[in-house]
Amino acid sequence: MTTDRYGPDALSTDWRVPRAGRAVEAPAELGVVVEEVQTDFCGEVVKVERDLGTVTLEDRRNVRRTFPLGPGFLLEGRPVILVAPARTGPAVPGRTASGSVAVQGAKARVARASRIFVEGRHDAELVEKVWGADLRIEGVVVEYLEGVDDLAAHLRDFRPGPERRVGVLVDHLVPGSKESRIAQSVAKSPVGKHVLIVGHPFVDIWAAVKPQRLGKDAWPTIPRNVEWKKGVCQTFGWPHRDQADIARAWKQILSKVTSYADLEPALLGRVEELIDFVTN
């Protein structure tokens, strides 16, 4: 009886087949947990953008990453090619980023006379990203003020009235603050009944984004003698030398916001309140 010293012929079988098997197509169903092999990022499927060809995963720390659909994923340890789930039954009305039912094929309404004012560019960009579709349907324009110190002057120029209401979103509107004194002064003015000023408790609109979306447990506490945004960037280890660095940091934060679920409830209710005020 003889034995083969070198084992079986490596070329007698299909040596190209991976040990874990060949990749097969698998639908990217919500709730399925997969791993992206190049980054080792493992998470639950929370969103599939059929038109964009992307899938968004969320890991156990609530960190989200978006990847192209296709090969490069593991499902229960086996390679798969993620594809968009098949459509079944009649189309279900979609939702806007704010959670409202999307109105298919609706055109933007002609702008109302009423307006919503926010403090700065970042506030306006965040409101647009989450509520933009709703605001266009309602014909509401959002303008930013570069701070609220000159709010009274802006209102005098705008001339609010019964058909020309103004809603104002203010950062850090807490008792005893400069912002609260400005709000009280406007409320007592002749145009006060046509203006609604609401605010959130955060030092800046950045903090209205849930820190878990950035992979952080909480927003840092910054000393009063340090500019808040630069202090945040420094604490998080982000570049913070100049305004361009601050702008890039905001773009990074904003990119993590895909819907109202990524924002703190203290902001959500205030924006909805303003929309109701200027549209009713």
Side-chain angles (χ1 to χ4, degrees):
M1 182 175 179
T2 60
T3 59
D4 187 344
R5 295 172 53 191
Y6 303 104
D9 182 1
L11 300 180
S12 64
T13 60
D14 190 351
W15 54 275
R16 294 166 297 184
V17 176
R19 291 184 179 180
R22 294 190 186 279
V24 297
E25 288 192 352
E29 303 282 1
L30 297 181
V32 170
V33 177
V34 297
E35 178 182 350
E36 203 279 330
V37 296
Q38 289 190 347
T39 62
D40 294 329
F41 188 87
C42 183
E44 173 186 352
V45 174
V46 294
K47 177 184 287 188
V48 177
E49 294 283 358
R50 187 183 300 270
D51 295 337
L52 299 178
T54 60
V55 59
T56 300
L57 309 181
E58 181 175 286
D59 69 8
R60 58 186 177 83
R61 294 183 295 274
N62 295 322
V63 177
R64 292 188 177 189
R65 296 278 299 275
T66 299
F67 303 96
L69 288 167
F73 297 91
L74 296 178
L75 175 60
E76 297 181 352
R78 296 187 175 277
V80 294
I81 301 170
L82 283 186
V83 297
R87 299 183 189 273
T88 57
V92 177
R95 295 277 176 176
T96 67
S98 70
S100 302
V101 176
V103 181
Q104 302 299 327
K107 295 182 180 180
R109 176 175 174 169
V110 175
R112 295 172 183 264
S114 299
R115 293 286 187 272
I116 290 178
F117 291 165
V118 297
E119 282 204 55
R121 182 184 297 274
H122 294 176
D123 306 67
E125 290 176 344
L126 184 62
V127 170
E128 162 61 26
K129 187 158 190 182
V130 176
W131 288 275
D134 301 0
L135 292 170
R136 283 185 285 279
I137 291 292
E138 296 289 350
V140 177
V141 174
V142 175
E143 300 179 5
Y144 66 91
L145 305 172
E146 294 293 359
V148 295
D149 290 354
D150 296 326
L151 177 59
H154 282 288
L155 291 175
R156 282 195 299 270
D157 293 340
F158 187 79
R159 294 181 304 218
E163 303 299 324
R164 195 174 171 82
R165 292 181 166 192
V166 175
V168 186
L169 179 66
V170 178
D171 297 343
H172 201 227
L173 189 61
V174 296
S177 67
K178 172 191 70 176
E179 291 80 3
S180 68
R181 291 192 292 272
I182 292 173
Q184 291 168 5
S185 175
V186 170
K188 295 176 182 178
S189 72
V191 299
K193 62 182 178 180
H194 307 303
V195 179
L196 175 64
I197 301 177
V198 301
H200 54 74
F202 310 112
V203 174
D204 189 272
I205 197 68
W206 286 20
V209 178
K210 292 179 178 178
Q212 293 80 11
R213 298 299 183 254
L214 306 173
K216 309 295 183 181
D217 293 329
W219 287 95
T221 300
I222 306 301
R224 289 182 176 271
N225 63 335
V226 177
E227 186 179 342
W228 191 82
K229 289 176 181 176
K230 286 189 176 182
V232 167
C233 292
Q234 184 176 17
T235 303
F236 285 169
W238 298 345
H240 55 281
R241 182 171 51 187
D242 52 29
Q243 190 56 38
D245 286 335
I246 301 301
R248 282 188 287 269
W250 168 241
K251 293 301 181 186
Q252 180 177 347
I253 295 168
L254 188 61
S255 71
K256 303 301 181 182
V257 178
T258 58
S259 77
Y260 71 95
D262 300 317
L263 303 180
E264 297 289 358
L267 174 67
L268 298 175
R270 304 294 74 75
V271 175
E272 297 288 350
E273 190 176 352
L274 290 179
I275 295 174
D276 288 344
F277 179 75
V278 298
T279 56
N280 292 330

